[in-house]
Amino acid sequence: MAETKVLTEFYHLPEYQTLAGYKAKGGYETLPKALKMQPQAIIDEVKASGLRGRGGAGFPTGMKWGFLPKNGEPRYLLCNADEGEPGTFKDRMMMERAPHQLIEGMIISAFAVGSHKGYIYVRGEYVFPIECLNKAIKEAYDAGLLGKNILGSGFDFDLDVYRGAGAYICGEETGMISSLEGLKGQPKLKPPFPAVQGYLRKPTIVNNVETLAAVTYIVKDGAQTYRKHGTEKSAGTKLFSVSGNVAKPGNYEVPLGYPLLDLINKECGGMKPGRKLKAIIPGGSSAPVLTAEECAKANLDYESLAGLGTMLGSGAVIVMDDSQCMVDMLGVLTHFYAHESCGQCTPCREGTGWLNKILHSILEGRGRLQDIDLLVKVADNMKGKTICALSDAAALPVLSFVTKFRDEFEFYVREGRSKVKGTTYAEMHH
Amino acid sequence: MPKCTINGKEVEVKEGSSIIEAMQVSGDRIAHYCWHPGLSVAGVCRLCVVEIEGNPRVQIACNTMVTEGMKINNTSEKVKDTVKWGLDFHLINHPLDCPICDQAGECGLQDQYMEYGKYDPEMAEAKVKKHKVVDLGPTVVLDSERCILCSRCVRFTEEVSKTNELGLFNRGDRTEIGTHDGMPLDNKYSLNTVDICPVGALTSKDFRFRQRVWYLKDGDSVCNGCSTGCNIKVYYNKEGLFRIKPVYNEQVNGHWMCDSGRNAYKFVNRDARLLKGVARGVEMAPGAAAKNANEVLKNTAGDAIALVLTAQYTLEEYEAIIKTFVEEFKTKKVFFWINNKETFDSFDGLLSRGDKNPNTKGLLKVMEKHGITATWNDLSAGLANGSIKTVVVAGPENQVVFPEYNERLKELSKAQNLIWMQSGKNEALSALTGNVWIIPMKTFVEKDGTFINYSGLEQKIKKVTTVVSEALTLTEAALLLAGKNLAMPMTAPFMPTNQRPDQVELEHRKKNEFVFRRGSL
């Protein structure tokens, strides 16, 4: 088994960014077929494919579409391209190299769910992907692929790119909706769920870039063909963005269920010369870390990783070798989450800041042994107690790092320096 | 009507009730800050957690609806531990300045920590410093460090006043409440944000540092600022009144009241009051002045007497005085002094009405009962042609809402005899000479009675306190004007402030009661 390029087959071709280049490789051939289908048939096909949301939560896409009310109320299709989780950069590649692939997927999805207006919400820092998308959208409008009466089908769909002002939590679907509405990017209470009351209080579907792009392939080849890849509960292929101490970091498309170490060793060229694998965060920085021993048992699918107490998340695989200080690494993560907490729910607002302060007390040589247990207690009381999952995202790495690498934390507290690097925080960073 | 079980008790609640509402019905206590029955659900303080049978995680009670047969518990160790930690999260960056905090004594954080807190705090890190004494606008001051970011005030400006001045700025534990750029918190209902702030973050400029709340008593009344008749609580002690807050009444004002209504305490206090009666230039007790006026009324009975009434007195008082004039003095020349004519019928869509009197309907009802049809033009004509010789006026308690006061005073003082009853001082009135009687009256917090609001709703008021004990109600004045006696002797001279047992001496006014009683250290 090796890389299986379903979505990324033509990403190496520069012309694939353009309408002509995309069409030359069969692009927009699925759209006329989809527009002749019954919308419910498309939803059924997506359900049958077993496609799960590729943004991180892994919720079944067809089921999410099925939650829309059947009353014909106006509804919106939002593409979540915020991609703010540390280590995640898969959607960026798709937007830069295959923007029409996303647009075609969105038109088909909009037709299926009955939406006539869509937005691609992109994180503000993604300047080049935004340029690529805008260019592609203009091409699509000029070619009658967007706007009124698409390809003479009678179906209208308008699409815009929205550049977010930059906050991690705008990648959470209700936070994204708040931001799109012009409000501070803060998640909203659920229920009501966006499918019932979302953007502008209208029914709204929010899907990730990769999810929407996959819809085209499901409609084109059929659910069963898509299901040939992956496992029973995790169907299809998935883009993994691999970063950290590997020889060849980058984006790789493999079928779900692919062994984690095969991804590292076969696709990414293994660890850097002379280094040994120490740990991997398999699904973006919010996922619990796996030790090297656990990595050997891990397959890249939802159920295998859940069995190991972690998650597939967005597919951002962060690899750490034996030179990595886990206390320092956790310090970076807690700082990130303390910075990005929206400030709405108390356990998250205060807890993320508290975790960060404790971690930095330890890193700066002021730690107490009881601080290690305190980290666990604080994280435990943040988990599952807030509106959105940011609190969990901050707590889970803390719990897994402290539990699995406790000796490094205890050494740091006792000695005031890193067990791995042998240096103090100041020496490490200045 | 779904039935559920809360802590072992079966409760039936209205369809669509949340668990926290159900707990209000069942009488079970539950920690909470951000939930407020008059605002949308924010679900951010995460304190109102409960366990629901069949659900592995604790849930928030404010955003979870009751369903038939639901089994709810908030007394388990899991819930208690979550609440304890929730309170610790609230406190880790909260300053421990309770001794100087204006909210001490009525602080939700203090109260709930006493009940549910974790008495073994583990925060050893430095607290986040935020802005202090932030001037939000003409009425409210913010202390950001004390703010627990419940967002009640923000939601109030979004949902109730619809003025949107407030917002949450910044992220994480640097989040602060503030006003949007260049926009002060300046709306007719701004002080409600202070009422709903569960801690001492938002304080009223008018009230802050003037009294510790535990030195105040309170009593229920009805606001006399306009014809809405908001239900209120009046806070007072022997030094006088200090503030007014709304009391929930679904039929009348919900949870809120306007800022101008809150100022009603100011004209009640002794500094603003008429204390001495006057009869033809001679100072005397109020009762004595009223009795003194009987002579002139007796001599000008009939159509030569006119009674002018403002709509600021109680129904019972109107009954008494109109009856006295119709039956004793044989006149139906009773006139309704309408203030703010141009805006009398206006309404701001929330609570405040253009009719700035608490009892217009009550006055009109009594006038109608006695078949009174006289108009102000009749009065003007009578004064001009000299047929009206004696005018008796029940002037406004709240003079602020009578901008044409001086003009009317000038017109009415054309009468040969002018008998003026009101509670507050007025320079132009005091400057009148000749056949003028001035009779100090009691205010709405010093008497019992009934107000009828704009919608016809009758609301009883009860005496809350006495500020000027010698002052009269309109009922008492009516008896004395008719030459009758009250049970209490009315011949006693005016008692100076410093001889009255229930008044604090002037030089001690600025100090609180505790200091006054125990003396200086």
Side-chain angles (χ1 to χ4, degrees):
Chain A
M1 209 159 39
E3 257 202 293
T4 306
K5 294 188 172 180
V6 173
L7 296 176
T8 59
E9 186 181 358
F10 304 111
Y11 279 25
H12 60 289
L13 301 172
E15 66 273 20
Y16 199 63
Q17 286 180 28
T18 64
L19 181 62
Y22 181 64
K23 277 188 161 176
K25 295 295 177 190
Y28 289 115
E29 280 178 6
T30 313
L31 182 59
K33 176 190 168 188
L35 293 174
K36 285 183 190 129
M37 291 170 73
Q38 287 298 316
Q40 188 56 47
I42 299 175
I43 296 175
D44 292 342
E45 201 67 27
V46 171
K47 273 186 189 166
S49 75
L51 177 66
R52 295 171 67 163
R54 300 295 193 230
F59 194 80
T61 305
M63 193 188 288
K64 192 186 233 185
W65 291 3
F67 292 151
L68 283 168
K70 311 273 186 244
N71 58 9
E73 219 185 327
R75 67 268 318 263
Y76 294 94
L77 177 68
L78 307 185
C79 171
N80 189 344
D82 192 60
E83 197 160 59
E85 181 124 323
T88 313
F89 47 87
K90 67 186 179 67
D91 294 337
R92 173 182 184 154
M93 185 174 75
M94 188 169 286
M95 288 185 280
E96 287 177 1
R97 299 194 180 180
H100 283 288
Q101 199 172 305
L102 171 61
I103 294 166
E104 187 177 10
M106 281 195 78
I107 303 167
I108 295 170
S109 303
F111 177 70
V113 300
S115 169
H116 300 290
K117 178 70 195 176
Y119 292 95
I120 305 172
Y121 185 100
V122 193
R123 66 185 297 201
E125 299 92 321
Y126 273 8
V127 176
F128 183 56
I130 290 166
E131 283 173 10
C132 296
L133 283 172
N134 278 328
K135 207 168 146 190
I137 286 172
K138 187 176 180 313
E139 282 184 316
Y141 266 109
D142 292 345
L145 296 162
L146 282 172
K148 298 275 179 215
N149 193 19
I150 295 169
L151 301 176
S153 64
F155 175 64
D156 306 333
F157 182 60
D158 285 300
L159 183 62
D160 278 310
V161 172
Y162 187 93
R163 187 177 172 182
Y168 168 73
I169 203 56
C170 292
E172 195 274 346
E173 60 179 0
T174 57
M176 196 180 99
I177 288 168
S178 296
S179 174
L180 196 61
E181 287 169 340
L183 305 171
K184 183 177 176 182
Q186 284 189 321
K188 296 177 180 181
L189 278 171
K190 291 186 269 191
F193 288 89
V196 178
Q197 199 180 92
Y199 179 55
L200 304 179
R201 302 192 177 181
K202 298 290 177 197
T204 302
I205 289 293
V206 185
N207 285 137
N208 174 254
V209 172
E210 190 186 347
T211 316
L212 289 164
V215 169
T216 310
Y217 294 89
I218 292 164
V219 174
K220 181 184 165 200
D221 299 331
Q224 293 317 312
T225 308
Y226 189 74
R227 270 197 170 280
K228 282 181 184 163
H229 308 292
T231 70
E232 174 63 27
K233 289 181 180 168
S234 305
T237 61
K238 169 95 187 80
L239 278 167
F240 288 93
S241 33
V242 185
S243 62
N245 310 129
V246 286
K248 290 193 293 173
N251 278 314
Y252 298 90
E253 186 180 8
V254 293
L256 285 166
Y258 196 67
L260 173 58
L261 287 188
D262 281 0
L263 176 71
I264 305 302
N265 296 325
K266 293 181 182 171
E267 319 309 329
C268 303
M271 306 305 292
K272 285 188 173 170
R275 288 290 171 197
K276 275 189 358 194
L277 176 67
K278 180 174 184 179
I280 292 179
I281 301 175
S285 66
S286 59
V289 68
L290 295 175
T291 61
E293 295 73 32
E294 288 169 323
C295 291
K297 295 179 268 180
N299 291 334
L300 291 166
D301 57 60
Y302 297 99
E303 56 275 22
S304 166
L305 292 172
L308 290 167
T310 185
M311 55 194 182
L312 186 75
S314 61
V317 178
I318 304 168
V319 184
M320 288 160 271
D321 67 22
D322 54 359
S323 69
Q324 182 63 52
C325 170
M326 300 308 268
V327 186
D328 185 44
M329 178 75 181
L330 189 60
V332 173
L333 294 181
T334 56
H335 181 259
F336 173 79
Y337 287 109
H339 185 263
E340 293 298 330
S341 165
C342 80
Q344 195 176 197
C345 303
T346 307
C348 175
R349 180 184 68 239
E350 307 297 343
T352 51
W354 195 359
L355 288 176
N356 186 41
K357 282 179 186 172
I358 299 168
L359 239 308
H360 281 82
S361 284
I362 295 172
L363 282 166
E364 286 156 19
R366 293 178 278 108
R368 308 164 302 168
L369 272 175
Q370 67 259 40
D371 285 342
I372 300 168
D373 290 329
L374 184 57
L375 281 171
V376 174
K377 279 196 267 184
V378 173
D380 256 337
N381 282 287
M382 292 166 62
K383 206 173 51 167
K385 302 209 168 60
T386 50
I387 290 175
C388 78
L390 193 148
S391 195
D392 294 45
L396 293 174
V398 170
L399 293 170
S400 61
F401 272 64
V402 172
T403 311
K404 294 178 182 177
F405 299 94
R406 192 177 176 100
D407 59 321
E408 286 192 36
F409 287 83
E410 287 177 352
F411 184 93
Y412 214 123
V413 169
R414 279 196 306 269
E415 305 288 328
R417 61 191 169 86
S418 168
K419 182 181 180 184
V420 179
K421 294 185 187 289
T423 54
T424 64
Y425 183 71
E427 288 163 347
M428 262 189 273
H429 292 278
H430 304 291
Chain B
M1 298 274 277
K3 280 184 189 155
C4 62
T5 308
I6 297 174
N7 296 331
K9 283 180 289 184
E10 193 173 84
V11 186
E12 191 169 2
V13 295
K14 277 193 289 186
E15 195 70 50
S17 296
S18 63
I19 292 176
I20 202 165
E21 286 165 340
M23 294 187 84
Q24 312 266 306
V25 174
S26 71
D28 286 81
R29 296 172 72 83
I30 184 164
H32 67 276
Y33 289 133
C34 67
W35 181 77
H36 186 284
L39 300 170
S40 64
V41 172
V44 296
C45 75
R46 316 305 288 189
L47 285 178
C48 63
V49 290
V50 292
E51 271 196 289
I52 301 168
E53 197 176 271
N55 199 326
R57 280 185 170 185
V58 292
Q59 302 292 314
I60 49 170
C62 61
N63 197 47
T64 310
M65 298 298 128
V66 173
T67 55
E68 182 62 41
M70 191 180 250
K71 288 195 168 67
I72 303 152
N73 175 311
N74 80 329
T75 54
S76 68
E77 284 309 310
K78 191 175 179 180
V79 170
K80 283 183 186 168
D81 198 49
T82 305
V83 177
K84 280 180 183 179
W85 271 92
L87 280 161
D88 242 30
F89 283 129
H90 277 94
L91 274 168
I92 59 171
N93 285 314
H94 188 90
L96 295 176
D97 63 350
C98 306
I100 58 155
C101 176
D102 220 46
Q103 193 88 351
E106 47 187 18
C107 168
L109 199 48
Q110 280 183 330
D111 294 347
Q112 301 204 39
Y113 200 81
M114 291 299 288
E115 191 162 354
Y116 309 103
K118 182 161 85 68
Y119 289 93
D120 187 17
E122 292 172 85
M123 169 79 170
E125 315 300 328
K127 288 178 188 278
V128 175
K129 298 288 177 202
K130 293 182 187 171
H131 296 93
K132 310 223 31 123
V133 203
V134 181
D135 186 358
L136 289 187
T139 57
V140 179
V141 172
L142 165 69
D143 183 317
S144 278
E145 288 186 340
R146 293 178 192 158
C147 177
I148 56 164
L149 298 157
C150 65
S151 79
R152 281 179 173 189
C153 55
V154 177
R155 282 176 282 145
F156 178 85
T157 61
E158 285 170 1
E159 297 162 12
V160 182
S161 70
K162 296 188 168 58
T163 46
N164 296 293
E165 297 102 328
L166 295 175
L168 286 158
F169 300 92
N170 243 324
R171 296 201 297 239
D173 57 13
R174 293 92 57 211
T175 307
E176 289 183 54
I177 295 290
T179 52
H180 290 287
D181 195 22
M183 183 191 256
L185 175 62
D186 187 6
N187 65 66
K188 289 201 295 189
Y189 296 90
S190 64
L191 284 166
N192 289 289
T193 60
V194 176
D195 295 342
I196 58 177
C197 180
V199 292
L202 296 178
T203 49
S204 155
K205 281 186 183 174
D206 185 49
F207 180 71
R208 68 199 308 252
F209 305 134
R210 292 182 59 214
Q211 279 288 328
R212 301 309 322 221
V213 293
W214 50 87
Y215 295 132
L216 294 175
K217 296 172 190 163
D218 59 64
D220 291 324
S221 190
V222 171
C223 177
N224 78 345
C226 80
S227 61
T228 298
C230 293
N231 289 199
I232 57 171
K233 212 172 254 306
V234 176
Y235 293 81
Y236 66 97
N237 62 21
K238 286 180 182 174
E239 295 172 46
L241 273 55
F242 285 88
R243 66 177 180 185
I244 287 174
K245 283 184 165 200
V247 171
Y248 176 69
N249 185 330
E250 191 181 359
Q251 270 185 292
V252 184
N253 55 306
H255 299 274
W256 322 115
M257 73 179 293
C258 72
D259 289 359
S260 68
R262 291 170 197 263
N263 285 327
Y265 81 87
K266 290 177 182 166
F267 66 75
V268 174
N269 278 340
R270 211 170 163 81
D271 293 346
R273 299 286 293 278
L274 280 171
L275 304 175
K276 302 169 189 177
V278 176
R280 289 191 172 112
V282 180
E283 283 188 0
M284 58 184 73
K291 189 107 188 204
N292 185 292
N294 169 253
E295 197 65 25
V296 72
L297 286 164
K298 252 188 341 194
N299 295 334
T300 52
D303 282 352
I305 299 179
L307 173 64
V308 176
L309 297 170
T310 55
Q312 301 222 321
Y313 296 85
T314 64
L315 188 67
E316 293 77 1
E317 289 176 301
Y318 294 135
E319 292 275 9
I321 197 150
I322 292 176
K323 191 175 173 203
T324 299
F325 275 69
V326 170
E327 294 179 3
E328 299 278 333
F329 300 128
K330 310 295 181 200
T331 178
K332 282 200 169 183
K333 289 199 179 299
V334 180
F335 302 93
F336 175 19
W337 175 355
I338 301 177
N339 56 324
N340 294 305
K341 263 186 183 165
E342 306 73 27
T343 54
F344 207 69
D345 296 323
S346 65
F347 175 49
D348 72 350
L350 184 52
L351 291 173
S352 180
R353 293 184 176 269
D355 175 5
K356 297 294 177 194
N357 301 283
N359 203 14
T360 301
K361 286 245 162 145
L363 172 57
L364 294 173
K365 185 179 173 184
V366 181
M367 286 172 76
E368 192 184 336
K369 182 179 159 190
H370 288 276
I372 290 160
T373 55
T375 66
W376 195 267
N377 286 340
D378 301 333
L379 174 63
S380 298
L383 287 168
N385 65 27
S387 61
I388 293 176
K389 294 188 168 45
T390 300
V391 174
V392 180
V393 184
E397 278 188 30
N398 184 4
Q399 292 175 46
V400 177
V401 296
F402 280 74
E404 75 295 359
Y405 181 94
N406 284 352
E407 200 184 311
R408 287 284 163 91
L409 178 68
K410 201 171 162 189
E411 184 183 4
L412 297 171
S413 62
K414 286 177 192 163
Q416 280 180 18
N417 308 302
L418 180 63
I419 301 162
W420 197 288
M421 302 177 282
Q422 73 177 35
S423 56
K425 283 180 191 165
N426 182 286
E427 276 183 31
L429 177 65
S430 302
L432 290 179
T433 54
N435 291 339
V436 175
W437 286 260
I438 300 174
I439 303 169
M441 306 301 285
K442 282 199 161 63
T443 60
F444 71 112
V445 297
E446 297 166 287
K447 60 193 175 190
D448 297 343
T450 308
F451 287 150
I452 303 180
N453 81 348
Y454 74 96
S455 69
L457 180 76
E458 288 193 13
Q459 300 193 97
K460 299 286 178 199
I461 55 166
K462 283 190 69 117
K463 178 184 159 186
V464 174
T465 182
T466 301
V467 180
V468 179
S469 57
E470 309 91 321
L472 305 172
T473 64
L474 208 49
T475 308
E476 291 168 337
L479 285 168
L480 294 166
L481 290 173
K484 295 172 184 171
N485 286 323
L486 302 181
M488 58 187 282
M490 283 297 126
T491 50
F494 169 73
M495 189 180 281
T497 306
N498 60 6
Q499 290 176 24
R500 295 181 47 226
D502 62 337
Q503 292 298 322
V504 175
E505 289 177 29
L506 190 63
E507 58 269 32
H508 292 116
R509 288 266 175 86
K510 299 286 181 192
K511 297 178 183 172
N512 65 42
E513 186 176 355
F514 179 68
V515 174
F516 172 61
R517 279 189 183 157
R518 66 150 165 69
S520 58
L521 293 170

